[in-house]
Amino acid sequence: MKIDFTRYDRIVFFTGAGMSAESNIPTYRGSGGIWHQYNYEEYACQIAFDNNPEKVLDFHKIRRKAVLECSPHSGHKAIAVFEKSRDGVSIVTQNIDGMHQQAGSIDVTELHGSLFRVRCRNHGIHEDLGEFTEYKCSCGNYLRPDIIWFGDSLVSEVVEKAVSLISNCDLFISIGTSGVVWPAAGFPELAKKNGARCIEINPELSEMSYLYEKTIEGKAGDVLTRFLI
Ligand code: NAD
């Protein structure tokens, strides 16, 4: 199969945890996933943070450190080079690991927030690319990870941007997502309904595979370097 990218004006890469698997960033649910080791109710929801912020922030620090030891792979880099080579390329990601930006991508919409941002109740968002040594803002409030936790709503402006990109794209390429987390799980259908050609890259068929014209069965890094470079 070949994709003639010159036929498309607005291309969206929609990525999930599988996009970062070859960077050795663990998934949350699969085998070896962190929710087998940690109870998310103690580490990844607002109530846990309100009850014991230091415990939640210690966990956050471990997650941040693990990601800082990883690097973008050839697939992240191929998307970034492709984005720079032409107009009309955007990335909508469910990942919080910053790998697309580290690879050089610019137009990245992070649906579920970022491991590398924290926010203060009074002073808003701080970007912090380091190992997360300061748990408190200068005003004394604990800094809350700027991540969509269990029970949180997505940020409406972020969802609006994603919906606009996806409704208006003519090529939608989904990579490494099982399609079970809402509202992101509705995006392939949205792209298809609005007339986009929809392609999936995944080593396994997903619950959403029936929506795609084609599932390219393979790992993100292998497939993206083959198709984009
Ligand atoms: P998921 O874990 O539900 O599904 C991962 C998918 O990736 C599976 O379909 C699997 O077959 C596929 N996959 C595995 N290896 C792959 C590879 N090398 N190349 C391509 N595909 C591969 O992931 P999800 O749908 O993104 O949902 C999980 C949620 O957890 C998301 O909300 C995401 O925000 C979050 N999460 C993020 C990270 C991260 O930031 N890297 C990691 C884990 C989970």
Side-chain angles (χ1 to χ4, degrees), residues 42 75 80 118 133 157-158 161 170 176:
E42 289 176 49
V118 285
T133 45
E157 301 85 64
V158 175
K161 182 177 175 206
D170 49 11

Side-chain angles (χ1 to χ4, degrees), residues 126-140:
H126 302 225
E127 193 174 32
D128 172 3
L129 301 175
E131 278 200 17
F132 193 49
T133 45
E134 281 301 326
Y135 282 11
K136 287 186 176 174
C137 178
S138 53
C139 69

Side-chain angles (χ1 to χ4, degrees), residues 82-97:
F82 183 71
E83 183 190 0
K84 288 201 182 92
S85 74
R86 51 163 291 158
D87 291 332
V89 176
S90 307
I91 296 140
V92 176
T93 188
Q94 298 168 81
N95 295 342
I96 57 174
D97 57 30

Side-chain angles (χ1 to χ4, degrees), residues 5-127:
F5 289 104
T6 60
R7 287 179 48 207
Y8 303 99
D9 293 325
R10 292 167 308 281
I11 300 171
V12 170
F13 292 94
F14 176 56
T15 64
M19 178 73 214
S20 293
E22 289 150 272
S23 292
N24 293 323
I25 297 177
T27 61
Y28 287 172
R29 293 182 186 76
S31 61
I34 56 173
W35 300 139
H36 295 297
Q37 203 183 337
Y38 294 92
N39 177 0
Y40 76 83
E41 289 174 334
E42 289 176 49
Y43 297 99
C45 62
Q46 187 63 44
I47 296 171
F49 183 71
D50 293 341
N51 288 342
N52 193 341
E54 300 254 347
K55 180 175 170 178
V56 170
L57 293 176
D58 285 344
F59 171 73
H60 182 71
K61 187 173 172 165
I62 294 169
R63 303 298 321 136
R64 172 106 57 108
K65 191 163 183 292
V67 168
L68 282 171
E69 285 163 9
C70 300
S71 309
H73 61 70
S74 57
H76 293 109
K77 290 177 193 160
I79 293 178
V81 169
F82 183 71
E83 183 190 0
K84 288 201 182 92
S85 74
R86 51 163 291 158
D87 291 332
V89 176
S90 307
I91 296 140
V92 176
T93 188
Q94 298 168 81
N95 295 342
I96 57 174
D97 57 30
M99 288 287 137
H100 286 298
Q101 294 92 327
Q102 220 183 298
S105 283
I106 307 292
D107 187 1
V108 184
T109 303
E110 294 175 308
L111 284 171
H112 296 161
S114 171
L115 267 175
F116 296 99
R117 288 192 308 265
V118 285
R119 58 181 198 250
C120 165
R121 233 183 7 241
N122 293 336
H123 295 105
I125 288 177
H126 302 225
E127 193 174 32

